[in-house]
Amino acid sequence: DVGAFLMRTPDPPTKLAIQFAESCLREIGALDDASPDLLSPLGRHLAALPTHPRIGKMLVVGCLLGCEHEVLNIAGFLSAKGPLT
């Protein structure tokens, strides 16, 4: 169980944070209950990217559709902090 594993970490997240993260991953199609590691093929790709899963999915789909330059610009903009913060 993922939640039980995370609760044993030195600084465990709240149960609500774990539920939200799992909900987000299921929503974007990164989890697959039938898989031994619970990841879908998309989830395996997202696990290798050092970004938020939603932005990672945008990057993967953008590359599949052949518009990687445009998607990279948008992902960079969404990942950056605002200039006034």
Side-chain angles (χ1 to χ4, degrees), residues 33-53:
D33 291 330
S35 174
D37 61 359
L38 299 179
L39 292 176
S40 68
L42 173 64
R44 287 187 196 86
H45 287 292
L46 295 178
L49 296 174
T51 185
H52 190 279

Side-chain angles (χ1 to χ4, degrees), residues 58-75:
M58 185 173 66
L59 291 169
V60 171
V61 172
C63 288
L64 290 173
L65 296 176
C67 54
E68 55 274 350
H69 297 293
E70 294 83 357
V71 171
L72 280 171
N73 286 328
I74 295 169

Side-chain angles (χ1 to χ4, degrees), residues 79-85:
S79 298
K81 291 183 181 179
L84 301 176
T85 58

